[in-house]
Amino acid sequence: MIEEAYYYWGISATIYIVTCYIFSAVRWFHTCDKPKESHAYIWPDRKMQAITYLLATVLIPYALNPLDENAWLLWKCYFPVTYYFYCGMMLFCFFGSVKQWSQWKVVTWFVGAVVALTMIPLIINAWIPGCILHPSQWGGQFYQYIVIAISVLMIFYCAVAMWQVWRWMRQASDENYSNPEDFPNTYAHRVWLAPVVFTPFLWAGFITDSPTVMAWMNLALSIMNIILLITVIPAWRRADIIPGREEEDATVICDDTCDNVMDDRINKIAVFIDEYVNQQQAFLNPHLKIENVVNGCGYSRTYVSKTFQEYYGGFFNYVNGLRLAYYDQYAAAHPAITKEATAQASGFTSYQSYYKVRERMKDMKKSAPTS
């Protein structure tokens, strides 16, 4: 019975490691022809994901000899310590590529160093003959308490990443972006809660201290690896970003004097918007956000948003209307230039992005009420 269990323990561990290798290889080598020139934009976390999944190599001693107690100690501690860090890091990297990744990069490096220092003794203990941390002795038992403490710290780090992505998703729904590929809102909704889904599988083996339970968890995590790979591969996941609603205006209750002041401010903002976005051609920046306008004019986002809505039909509509007009002018002046190059010169990230914005604008005009 023990030999049969031993056989299944090793097989399940091997399957998990193999799926990690498959994930890493596909993420590293798989690209689509059109976005090859924009790797950092389309796949900001591509290399990081590939390298991260290769780290499963440290678990090989358990796959080769599941009866080794030191290898088992490494295996059951690996998941609660590392997975929350991996998830948090990927969320910050992918979704923070157009937001605040640089702000969180230092924190992530520090947290990664903590994870590495926690795992190195366990890795040495499993790979090098000799008992450094025997699970049944006080050293190994005490170290498992350290593992629990670091895992809780990683949960907190991952929770912060999830909270940030949730905030970014809400901002995307407020038409914070002029380019419908800047923030992968649909994709974010699919993966931002992944750490919560992973949690039961990460702790089951550690809590029960049962290789049999962990064998089933290995198979579940292997399936999740494949599902996640299928989810993250398509470059077109950056489409369908911004929902079709305009930003809601804040309701301000005030008297006639206040109305006059507000009108004066809105008029000044409208002049600034025309000068900055149109005349200075800020719309050619493919990643132009409403915050850029807010920071430039010195008024609050409420006033800027209200001005866009009243004068220009909304931030997204105004900026992309200018881009579409510029595209037509540029194409007429440069007939030999490809559609892809024309779209990029007009403030779009690709011709596919141009086409989707154009069709969306057409649909909005058709659905607009006629007077």
Side-chain angles (χ1 to χ4, degrees), residues 144-202:
Q144 293 182 58
Y145 289 109
I146 296 178
V147 166
I148 294 174
I150 298 301
S151 299
V152 172
L153 178 63
M154 294 306 109
I155 291 175
F156 177 76
Y157 166 77
C158 187
V160 172
M162 293 169 62
W163 174 72
Q164 281 287 355
V165 172
W166 176 76
R167 289 183 60 210
W168 296 335
M169 287 191 296
R170 293 194 65 183
Q171 290 174 2
S173 66
D174 288 336
E175 285 206 0
N176 191 40
Y177 300 95
S178 64
N179 195 313
E181 293 185 354
D182 261 352
F183 188 83
N185 202 24
T186 302
Y187 176 65
H189 278 88
R190 291 203 301 264
V191 301
W192 78 288
L193 286 176
V196 177
V197 177
F198 280 129
T199 293
F201 306 99
L202 306 182

Side-chain angles (χ1 to χ4, degrees), residues 47 63 68-69 80 86 119 163 186 196 214 220 236 272 331 370:
K47 293 182 179 179
D68 180 39
E69 292 183 337
Y86 293 162
M119 294 305 302
W163 174 72
T186 302
V196 177
M214 195 66 234
W236 55 86
F272 174 82
T370 58

